[in-house]
């Protein structure tokens, strides 16, 4: 009889298990010196890359490898040592060295899945060797049998390993029925499917049944479907509430089709009725949302939100910010002459002329009013025609101009008033630097400081409110806005002006008179009253007409629309000029 073919074990007669100690030591270190994790990693590799787990009884072969490595009897290993879904130990050793074919039987007996596999190996051996191999095989088989019969208690050195729960196994374990293609379930007497918002139930009925023969009852939490005079086919309490007003059903090919609208359409149902088998909702494939499925209004809102999110992520302006920038760019393109330097020069020159002309005639009501109205016509289109720090403060406090612009305007106005006062000294006889002269403003002798404060507060408030209505807020007064502001100044000076010394209601002019002509009497009262009036006027405007553009209010209109708006007003419509707000916004690009 021919000798048995060489096996893999015989091809590695010099196999040394310690040859891989360095590699395995590094691997153990990478597993934080945890042998259990290392064994799982090795067995996981064998599962992915080899057929080890696809062959017969891999668990038993792993246990035999354990006995072969330790040389002990089989321990009563707990099932948690090698969890089903968790990788476990690889075969630690292949076999002991086998120097001759005559020793093949003992080697096979130790490495084969069972001791019975040694019979064919020994049968194929030469007759001269069979006599010698038989005695050797018998002790080996006896050793295996003995080791299998030894209980775990008799092996004190055998390790006791606690069961390790496998989270992945728990996750993979089914938690209900597998959903059908409609994201529902196919039960014996009906089937159902669902979307996030609706539930569709198909209930088969006897052939030839007509709709009028059906008994269908659906409420917020219960449903009953069947044929009249017979037991219901589907009846019970719904697992969740529905909207009964949005319920529909119809007959189609001996089947009742029912559509239910979920009361809460933000999750999947596990079952239709309570107590029925539930589906594994984690296995439900989510719906593909498409913008084309949305109504036009919702679609525009979603697209706008998506665009704004992308713009913010890239550090770019949102749709509203881009719209504002485009509006400002369009305005500046139509009005290249409106830059910040020209606006400041307009405020400077306007207040300088106001101080020179109105101050030289003793601030008479008619002279001051006419001068102010004429100057507004000249400079309103360049700077908005403030010509008064109180007006600029109120405009900033209500959001019609930026604070930085208001401060720049105030500085230009004060410098303009000082320049006008210096021109008075040079051009008007009897006026000198540092001397109390006619430009000084003081109340009549019997007016107390409190009365002066109240009168200055009321008159300045009245003047700013009218000026605001004519220049900033909607509706304005068309091309007559400068005249309205001039009339307001005339009315204020004509009524209470004689009590305040005909104060110009202008902090810049009060400061200029104090610096040039030493008019410091009651200066603090005038300035406090004028600042308080500006704050009250801003509150009134915000309460009555809303916040300005820079506080989130309505966008300004291009002043070129003034002609169209004026024409509409002439046809019987309300005058709706919003020119100065547009002017101020247009000037922003020069900041």
């Amino acid at each position: 009889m021919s000798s048995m073919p060489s096996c893999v074990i015989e091809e590695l007669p010099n196999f040394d298990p310690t040859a891989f100690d360095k590699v395995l030591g590094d691997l153990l270190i990478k597993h934080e010196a945890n042998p259990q994790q290392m064994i799982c990693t090795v067995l996981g590799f064998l599962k992915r890359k080899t057929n080890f787990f696809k062959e017969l009884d891999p668990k038993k072969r792993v246990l035999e490898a354990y006995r072969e490595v330790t040389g002990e009897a089989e321990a009563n290993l707990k099932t948690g040592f090698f969890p089903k879904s968790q990788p476990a130990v690889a075969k630690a050793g292949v076999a002991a060295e086998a120097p001759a074919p005559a020793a093949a039987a003992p080697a096979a007996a130790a490495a084969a899945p069972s001791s019975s596999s040694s019979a064919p190996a020994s049968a194929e051996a030469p007759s001269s060797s069979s006599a010698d191999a038989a005695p050797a095989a018998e002790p080996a088989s006896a050793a295996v049998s003995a080791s299998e019969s030894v209980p775990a208690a008799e092996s004190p050195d055998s390790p006791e390993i606690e069961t390790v729960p496998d989270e992945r196994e728990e996750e993979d374990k089914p938690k209900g029925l597998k959903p059908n293609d409609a994201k529902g379930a196919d039960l014996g007497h009906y089937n159902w499917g669902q979307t996030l918002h609706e539930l569709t139930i198909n209930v088969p009925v006897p052939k030839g049944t007509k709709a009028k023969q059906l008994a269908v009852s659906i409420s917020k939490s219960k449903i009953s479907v069947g044929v009249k005079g017979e037991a219901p086919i589907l009846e019970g309490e719904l697992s969740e509430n529905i909207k009964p007003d949005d319920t529909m059903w119809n007959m189609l090919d001996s089947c009742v089709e029912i559509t239910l609208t979920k009361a809460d359409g933000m999750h999947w149902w596990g079952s239709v009725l309570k107590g029925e088998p539930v589906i594994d909702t984690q296995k439900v494939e989510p719906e593909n949302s498409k913008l084309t499925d949305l109504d036009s209004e919702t679609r525009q809102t979603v697209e706008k939100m998506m665009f704004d999110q992308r713009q913010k992520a890239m550090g770019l302006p949102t749709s509203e910010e881009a719209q504002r920038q485009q509006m400002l760019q369009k305005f500046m393109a139509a009005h290249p002459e409106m830059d910040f330097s020209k606006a400041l020069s307009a405020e400077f020159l306007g207040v300088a002329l106001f101080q020179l002309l109105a101050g030289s005639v003793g601030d008479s009501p008619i002279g001051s009013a006419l001068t102010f109205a004429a100057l507004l016509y000249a400079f309103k289109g360049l700077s908005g025609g403030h010509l008064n720090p109180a007006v600029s403060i109120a405009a900033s406090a209500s959001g019609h101009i930026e604070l930085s612009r208001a401060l720049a305007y105030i500085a230009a106005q004060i410098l303009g008033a000082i320049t006008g006062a210096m021109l008075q000294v040079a051009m008007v006889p009897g006026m000198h630097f540092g001397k109390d002269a006619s430009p000084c403003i003081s109340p009549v002798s019997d007016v107390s400081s409190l009365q002066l404060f109240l009168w200055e507060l009321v008159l300045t408030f009245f003047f700013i409110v009218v000026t605001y209505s004519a220049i900033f807020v909607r509706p304005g007064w068309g091309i007559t806005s400068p005249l309205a502001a001039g009339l307001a100044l005339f009315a204020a000076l004509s009524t209470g002006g004689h009590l305040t010394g005909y104060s110009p209601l202008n902090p810049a002019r009060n400061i200029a008179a104090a610096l040039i002509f030493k008019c410091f009497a009651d200066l603090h009262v005038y300035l406090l009253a004028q600042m308080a009036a500006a704050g009250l006027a801003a509150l009134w405007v915000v309460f009555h007409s809303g916040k300005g553009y820079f506080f989130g209010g309505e966008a300004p209109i291009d002043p070129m629309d003034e002609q169209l708006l004026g024409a509409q007003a002439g046809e019987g419509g309300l005058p709706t000029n919003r020119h100065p707000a547009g002017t101020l916004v247009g000037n922003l690009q020069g900041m």
Side-chain angles (χ1 to χ4, degrees), residues 308-432:
D308 289 344
Q309 288 179 351
R310 288 195 300 268
Q311 292 293 100
K312 287 183 178 180
M314 295 185 292
L316 300 175
T318 62
S319 55
E320 293 182 356
E321 294 171 348
Q323 184 178 6
R324 291 185 179 186
Q325 291 180 3
Q326 291 175 359
M327 180 182 64
L328 294 175
Q329 291 173 0
K330 180 180 178 182
F331 182 87
M332 290 302 295
H335 303 279
E337 76 282 355
M338 298 184 64
D339 56 37
F340 190 56
S341 59
K342 291 184 177 180
L344 291 180
S345 63
E347 288 294 310
F348 172 82
L349 182 58
V351 178
L353 291 175
F354 190 28
Q355 172 68 26
L356 174 63
L357 299 178
S360 298
V361 295
D363 286 298
S364 66
I366 187 65
S368 296
L370 292 177
T371 302
F372 187 73
L375 292 173
L376 281 184
Y377 273 113
F379 301 114
K380 181 171 70 78
L382 295 177
S383 65
H386 292 202
L387 308 182
N388 190 324
V391 175
S392 298
I393 292 174
S396 175
S398 62
H400 284 89
I401 65 172
E402 288 183 318
L403 177 61
S404 57
R405 176 171 290 272
L407 295 176
Y409 274 20
I410 292 172
Q413 292 157 0
I414 293 175
L415 291 176
I418 294 174
T419 302
M422 295 173 66
L423 291 175
Q424 283 183 278
V425 172
M427 298 173 62
V428 179
M431 291 187 179
H432 306 281

Side-chain angles (χ1 to χ4, degrees), residues 275-581:
E276 287 192 339
V278 297
I279 64 171
D280 187 356
T281 54
Q282 295 182 356
K283 303 296 184 182
V284 176
E285 296 182 2
E287 298 174 328
N288 294 324
S289 301
K290 297 181 180 179
L291 288 176
T292 54
D293 297 336
L294 304 175
D295 59 88
S296 58
E297 183 177 355
T298 306
R299 179 178 177 180
Q300 290 178 359
T301 303
V302 172
E303 288 178 342
K304 179 179 179 297
M305 292 174 60
M306 294 172 62
F307 174 80
D308 289 344
Q309 288 179 351
R310 288 195 300 268
Q311 292 293 100
K312 287 183 178 180
M314 295 185 292
L316 300 175
T318 62
S319 55
E320 293 182 356
E321 294 171 348
Q323 184 178 6
R324 291 185 179 186
Q325 291 180 3
Q326 291 175 359
M327 180 182 64
L328 294 175
Q329 291 173 0
K330 180 180 178 182
F331 182 87
M332 290 302 295
H335 303 279
E337 76 282 355
M338 298 184 64
D339 56 37
F340 190 56
S341 59
K342 291 184 177 180
L344 291 180
S345 63
E347 288 294 310
F348 172 82
L349 182 58
V351 178
L353 291 175
F354 190 28
Q355 172 68 26
L356 174 63
L357 299 178
S360 298
V361 295
D363 286 298
S364 66
I366 187 65
S368 296
L370 292 177
T371 302
F372 187 73
L375 292 173
L376 281 184
Y377 273 113
F379 301 114
K380 181 171 70 78
L382 295 177
S383 65
H386 292 202
L387 308 182
N388 190 324
V391 175
S392 298
I393 292 174
S396 175
S398 62
H400 284 89
I401 65 172
E402 288 183 318
L403 177 61
S404 57
R405 176 171 290 272
L407 295 176
Y409 274 20
I410 292 172
Q413 292 157 0
I414 293 175
L415 291 176
I418 294 174
T419 302
M422 295 173 66
L423 291 175
Q424 283 183 278
V425 172
M427 298 173 62
V428 179
M431 291 187 179
H432 306 281
F433 288 107
K435 291 185 178 181
D436 193 351
S438 58
C440 287
I441 303 166
S442 59
V444 294
S445 58
D446 57 346
V447 175
S448 65
S449 296
L450 177 60
Q451 291 173 331
L452 174 62
F453 175 84
L454 293 176
W455 270 110
E456 188 71 10
L457 173 67
V458 172
L459 296 178
T460 306
F461 173 81
F462 167 73
F463 167 71
I464 295 177
V465 167
V466 176
T467 303
Y468 232 99
S469 299
I471 294 179
F472 293 101
V473 298
R474 310 177 186 193
W477 299 101
I479 58 176
T480 63
S481 57
L483 181 59
L487 289 175
L489 183 60
F490 175 75
L493 296 179
S494 299
T495 53
H498 67 286
L499 297 173
T500 63
Y502 293 103
S503 166
L505 313 178
N506 191 317
R509 293 190 56 192
N510 288 97
I511 293 174
L515 294 177
I516 301 301
F517 303 111
K518 296 178 59 176
C519 302
F520 292 103
D522 297 312
L523 176 64
H524 63 288
V525 178
Y526 286 112
L527 294 181
L528 288 176
Q530 292 162 356
M531 295 301 101
L536 292 176
L539 291 176
W540 166 256
V541 170
V542 171
F543 173 76
H544 184 268
S545 304
K547 297 178 181 179
Y549 176 75
F550 295 99
F551 284 172
E554 297 184 25
I557 284 184
D558 191 318
M560 294 303 291
D561 294 337
E562 200 171 55
Q563 296 179 355
L564 174 61
L565 297 174
Q568 293 175 349
E571 295 172 359
L574 289 174
T576 54
N577 170 46
R578 289 167 282 184
H579 160 222

